[in-house]
Amino acid sequence: MRTVFSLIFLLFSFFVLTSCATTVRARPTNVMVIKKIPRAHKIVYINGHQYYKWNGKHYRKTTKGYVYVRF
């Protein structure tokens, strides 16, 4: 009986410790959020999406503010 429990324990340990699941961690991005839009902005539509343009750069609106978009 002891060997049966030992065998079950070893099998259980083998499957738990040799899991093929991996942990994926996202790296933080360096995104600068602009809270208030400048007065000199222009609204442009590109491929049906609304963007805000000022200083030659395009921004999109998010819940936290405006984020720079690269094309």
Side-chain angles (χ1 to χ4, degrees), residues 33-35 60-67:
V33 178
I34 299 168
K35 299 286 184 182
R60 65 181 167 87
K61 187 174 184 177
T62 65
T63 56
K64 306 230 181 215
Y66 298 88
V67 178

Side-chain angles (χ1 to χ4, degrees), residues 4 10 12 24 30 36-37 53 56 58 70:
V4 173
L10 287 173
F12 177 77
V24 178
N30 295 330
K36 189 175 178 184
I37 192 167
K53 181 179 179 182
H58 293 85
R70 291 184 191 170

Side-chain angles (χ1 to χ4, degrees), residues 2-35:
R2 184 175 179 194
T3 57
V4 173
F5 285 122
S6 298
L7 183 61
I8 291 172
F9 177 76
L10 287 173
L11 287 173
F12 177 77
S13 299
F14 175 77
F15 285 114
V16 169
L17 296 176
T18 60
S19 169
C20 58
T22 59
T23 303
V24 178
R25 294 184 183 166
R27 288 184 270 164
T29 58
N30 295 330
V31 176
M32 187 170 74
V33 178
I34 299 168
K35 299 286 184 182

